[in-house]
C-alpha cells in the first residue's frame, strides 16, 4: 500500500495568525491540513522568562515536566512548529536513526523479536484535532477527543509508517502499546489499517478502570511481554512515559511532541 502523507502547506503556515486555510487534497496525497481556527494568546513575554523555543527544548529533553497545557503565549509557536517542516524533519531524524539501528539487529530467529510502537502522536497523528483545539493550549477534553478518535480518521505519521514497514521487512514483529481504552479496540484497529499499519503481533490497550500512570501501565505491559517470551528490540513513542520505566527494550526512541505531557 502506498504510504500516505500529510500535505504541509507553506501558505497555511504563513497565515496561521490571520486566516483559515482550505483543505487541499491530491489523488496521491490524501492527508490534508484541516481548517484552522483563529489562534489566540500570542502576545506577552514567554513563560518563565524564556523563549517558547527554549520551553519546547525543555519539554523534549524531559527537563520541563508535569505541565498540563501548552503555555497560552506559546500556542502560535507550537502551531507553527507542528504544521511546518521542522516537526517532520525532527521526526525523520529520529526514525532514520531507529531504522539504522534496526538494520544492525541480530534476531533470535524464533519469531519473538518485537518492536513496540505507541499509537497517538507516534503511529497515528491527532494533529487535525489539536489544530482545532489550540495545539495543546486548551485543557484536555476527553469527550471531544474521544469523539475524534471514534471517527477513525487519524492519519499516519509518515516517518513512523516508514519505520514500521522497515521493521517488518527485517523480520521483527510489531506490538502497538497505547493508553487508549479497551473500548476503542475496534475503531483503533480499523484506523491503524486505514492509515497503512496493516499487521501486528499484539494491540495492547488499557483495561476498563485502569487508573495507573502511563509510565506504570506501559512498564507493566512490557514486563508481561517479556514473561511471554518476547524480546523487545526497540521501542518508540512521543512521551517519555512511553519509553522510561521497566523492560524498556534494546533501544528507545523519542519522537517530538510539544502538545501534551503524560506521566
Amino acid at each position: 500500500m502506498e504510504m500516505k502523507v500529510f500535505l504541509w502547506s507553506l501558505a497555511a503556515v504563513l497565515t496561521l495568525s490571520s486566516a483559515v486555510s482550505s483543505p487541499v487534497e491530491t489523488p496521491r496525497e490524501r492527508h490534508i491540513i484541516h481548517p484552522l481556527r483563529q489562534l489566540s494568546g500570542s502576545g506577552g513575554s514567554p513563560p518563565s522568562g524564556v523563549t517558547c523555543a527554549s520551553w519546547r527544548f525543555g519539554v523534549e529533553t524531559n527537563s520541563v515536566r508535569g505541565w498540563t497545557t501548552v503555555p497560552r503565549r506559546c500556542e502560535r509557536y507550537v502551531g507553527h512548529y507542528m504544521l511546518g517542516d521542522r516537526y517532520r524533519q525532527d521526526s525523520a531524524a529520529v526514525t532514520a536513526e531507529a531504522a539504522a539501528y534496526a538494520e544492525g539487529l541480530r534476531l533470535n530467529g524464533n519469531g519473538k523479536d518485537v518492536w513496540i510502537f505507541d499509537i497517538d502522536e507516534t503511529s497515528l497523528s491527532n494533529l487535525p484535532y489539536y489544530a482545532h483545539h489550540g495545539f495543546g493550549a486548551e485543557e484536555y477534553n476527553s469527550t471531544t477527543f474521544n469523539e475524534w478518535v471514534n471517527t477513525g480518521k487519524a492519519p499516519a505519521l509518515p516517518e513512523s509508517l516508514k519505520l514500521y514497514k522497515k521493521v517488518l521487512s527485517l523480520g521483527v514483529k510489531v506490538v502497538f502499546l497505547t493508553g487508549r481504552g479497551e473500548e476503542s479496540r475496534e475503531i483503533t484497529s480499523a484506523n491503524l489499517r486505514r492509515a497503512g499499519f496493516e499487521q501486528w503481533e499484539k494491540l495492547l490497550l488499557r483495561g476498563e478502570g485502569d487508573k495507573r500512570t502511563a509510565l506504570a501501565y506501559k512498564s507493566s505491559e512490557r514486563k508481561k511481554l517479556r514473561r511471554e517470551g518476547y524480546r523487545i528490540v526497540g521501542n518508540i513513542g512521543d512521551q517519555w512515559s512511553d519509553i522510561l520505566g521497566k523492560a524498556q527494550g534494546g533501544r528507545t526512541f523519542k519522537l517530538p511532541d510539544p502538545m501534551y505531557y503524560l506521566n
Side-chain angles (χ1 to χ4, degrees), residues 36-256:
L36 305 180
R37 67 177 182 81
Q38 177 76 22
L39 295 180
S40 61
S42 60
S45 302
S48 303
V50 300
T51 66
C52 291
S54 296
W55 174 83
R56 184 177 68 84
F57 176 81
V59 166
E60 299 300 0
T61 57
N62 205 28
S63 298
V64 179
R65 305 179 184 181
W67 51 279
T68 56
T69 60
V70 170
R72 179 63 70 175
R73 291 179 293 274
C74 294
E75 178 184 15
R76 186 186 303 274
Y77 169 83
V78 172
H80 274 265
Y81 172 76
M82 295 302 297
L83 293 177
D85 291 337
R86 186 61 183 272
Y87 171 60
R88 291 286 304 279
Q89 292 168 358
D90 289 349
S91 298
V94 174
T95 55
E97 184 68 19
Y101 161 75
E103 289 176 343
L105 286 171
R106 303 181 72 174
L107 304 184
N108 285 334
N110 61 358
K112 289 286 191 173
D113 293 305
V114 298
W115 192 297
I116 295 179
F117 281 74
D118 172 53
I119 291 184
D120 293 302
E121 274 56 70
T122 297
S123 304
L124 300 178
S125 173
N126 298 304
L127 188 52
Y129 170 84
Y130 284 106
H132 288 281
H133 294 273
F135 296 101
E138 297 179 3
E139 291 288 343
Y140 173 74
N141 185 311
S142 61
T143 299
T144 59
F145 182 75
N146 289 336
E147 287 173 354
W148 157 254
V149 167
N150 287 333
T151 67
K153 294 180 179 180
L157 182 63
E159 289 73 27
S160 294
L161 182 56
K162 183 177 180 180
L163 175 63
Y164 161 86
K165 291 181 177 180
K166 166 62 75 175
V167 164
L168 290 179
S169 74
L170 296 171
V172 179
K173 294 181 178 178
V174 167
V175 171
F176 287 109
L177 174 55
T178 177
R180 293 186 180 193
E182 186 64 40
E183 69 278 3
S184 299
R185 177 174 295 275
E186 184 176 350
I187 192 64
T188 299
S189 297
N191 197 161
L192 285 168
R193 291 192 172 95
R194 179 179 181 272
F197 300 94
E198 298 174 338
Q199 59 177 294
W200 52 82
E201 179 75 359
K202 289 178 179 286
L203 171 57
L204 303 176
L205 302 97
R206 274 187 188 265
E208 184 178 357
D210 188 343
K211 301 298 183 182
R212 291 175 293 177
T213 64
L215 181 62
Y217 157 68
K218 293 201 168 185
S219 291
S220 176
E221 293 302 310
R222 293 194 301 264
K223 288 193 290 184
K224 287 179 184 178
L225 287 172
R226 280 193 173 177
R227 289 196 295 268
E228 293 171 5
Y230 290 101
R231 182 173 74 127
I232 302 170
V233 297
N235 180 10
I236 188 168
D238 67 291
Q239 299 289 313
W240 283 98
S241 54
D242 294 331
I243 59 178
L244 295 178
K246 304 295 184 181
Q248 297 173 2
R251 187 169 170 185
T252 60
F253 298 89
K254 167 71 169 65
L255 287 166

